[in-house]
Amino acid sequence: MTEPILKVSDLSIYYNKKKALDNISIDIYPNEITALIGPSGSGKSTLLRAINRMTDLNPEVSLTGSIVYNGHNIYSPRTDVVELRKEIGMVFQQPNPFPMSIYENVVYGLRLNGVKDKQVLDEVVESSLRGASIWDEVKDRLHESALGLSGGQQQRVCVARVLATSPKIILLDEPTSALDPISAGKIEDTLYGLKEEYTMIVVTRSMQQASRVSTRTGFFLDGKLIEYNFTKDMFLRPKRKETEDYITGKFG
């Protein structure tokens, strides 16, 4: 049996006194896409942000429980958060390229780490943009502003920016919800092509997307993980009535 790459145990998260996540335990396995589904406000994005410690940015957030990555609790005082975020990258709902060239967007993290060798940077730009399925569309425009791209292209540049730092895990918070169906399809194809090399956790509102791209799915409701299983099993034979009601569209 493969060992999980990430182990969330008894995780509860509070915003002031309000509980956003209630005693969540979930194992994430390497080289799989794990989808997190559930209605708005059910805690999916809160979990995602906790996994690369973005919750640190909010002084009102407190948490109990643990998230273990590579054998270490990422909330231990010894964790280097900058290093952690290199290994656990994040792509957001709205494409957020920096107001600079496509090239500089992709190498941003490497420059922060002091990489100056042009040959290294050039190679990373090409391999990352290829990984994000957008090299052929932008290879002649690398020194133009990334803000001149379409929304779907911008989002793939954001994926390339994450790939450039060689993460182990990529977190994607509704990465296609702001995009048209064709661009969303390209992002899905991109994710599917990356799972040989990366572990991905995708928050999605689209049941179809979860069923198309993911190996396992977790269903969240009111801050609780109601059910977690292989995607096929969950969609065909949900164990819990709440899951069945959500998947069949009785609420959402």
Side-chain angles (χ1 to χ4, degrees):
M1 183 70 186
T2 313
E3 282 291 302
I5 188 170
L6 193 75
K7 240 178 147 40
V8 179
S9 304
D10 305 324
L11 184 71
S12 293
I13 294 184
Y14 303 82
Y15 288 97
N16 286 332
K17 298 282 185 288
K18 185 178 181 306
K19 208 174 213 183
L21 278 183
D22 187 359
N23 213 33
I24 300 292
S25 294
I26 186 170
D27 289 349
I28 303 297
Y29 290 90
N31 303 104
E32 290 186 357
I33 299 177
T34 302
L36 307 180
I37 62 169
S40 288
S42 58
K44 313 177 296 292
S45 295
T46 300
L47 175 60
L48 218 56
R49 288 195 287 272
I51 291 171
N52 83 340
R53 290 200 37 180
M54 289 196 69
T55 42
D56 293 14
L57 305 172
N58 187 336
E60 296 177 345
V61 171
S62 60
L63 58 83
T64 58
S66 67
I67 300 176
V68 173
Y69 166 65
N70 266 353
H72 300 284
N73 181 3
I74 67 167
Y75 280 91
S76 107
R78 293 194 304 281
T79 300
D80 180 331
V81 178
V82 174
E83 288 299 316
L84 178 77
R85 290 192 188 131
K86 275 187 220 164
E87 299 212 4
I88 303 180
M90 183 115 178
V91 176
F92 297 91
Q93 182 172 354
Q94 293 290 341
N96 62 339
F98 303 132
M100 49 180 73
S101 71
I102 296 165
Y103 186 99
E104 288 302 325
N105 263 277
V106 177
V107 300
Y108 184 80
L110 296 180
R111 289 206 191 280
L112 282 185
N113 298 337
V115 178
K116 295 192 176 74
D117 185 322
K118 184 171 184 308
Q119 189 183 346
V120 171
L121 296 174
D122 287 352
E123 284 169 5
V124 168
V125 166
E126 180 170 347
S127 65
S128 302
L129 290 167
R130 280 190 190 283
S133 314
I134 192 172
W135 171 251
D136 289 336
E137 293 167 54
V138 300
K139 63 176 188 265
D140 302 321
R141 304 168 56 187
L142 294 177
H143 300 289
E144 294 174 22
S145 170
L147 300 179
L149 299 171
S150 71
Q153 289 173 320
Q154 287 184 13
Q155 190 67 302
R156 280 179 285 150
V157 167
C158 293
V159 171
R161 189 171 68 200
V162 168
L163 296 182
T165 60
S166 304
K168 301 286 188 290
I169 299 175
I170 304 174
L171 311 173
L172 301 110
D173 193 0
E174 297 193 24
T176 61
S177 65
L179 305 179
D180 63 89
I182 289 171
S183 299
K186 285 184 177 169
I187 294 277
E188 280 185 24
D189 292 344
T190 299
L191 300 186
Y192 209 77
L194 291 171
K195 80 179 189 10
E196 298 299 312
E197 292 176 66
Y198 304 92
T199 302
M200 286 172 277
I201 307 174
V202 183
V203 167
T204 178
R205 273 183 277 192
S206 161
M207 241 82 71
Q208 292 82 0
Q209 185 171 77
S211 66
R212 280 193 298 264
V213 303
S214 68
T215 311
R216 298 172 206 252
T217 297
F219 169 56
F220 284 74
L221 187 62
D222 299 332
K224 293 185 169 72
L225 178 61
I226 303 296
E227 189 168 337
Y228 180 50
N229 204 344
F230 287 106
T231 302
K232 278 198 186 93
D233 294 335
M234 186 188 281
F235 279 81
L236 295 173
R237 293 176 294 279
K239 291 192 172 93
R240 298 283 298 268
K241 180 156 192 332
E242 302 98 314
T243 315
E244 185 177 347
D245 287 351
Y246 184 72
I247 287 170
T248 55
K250 288 194 179 152
F251 73 96

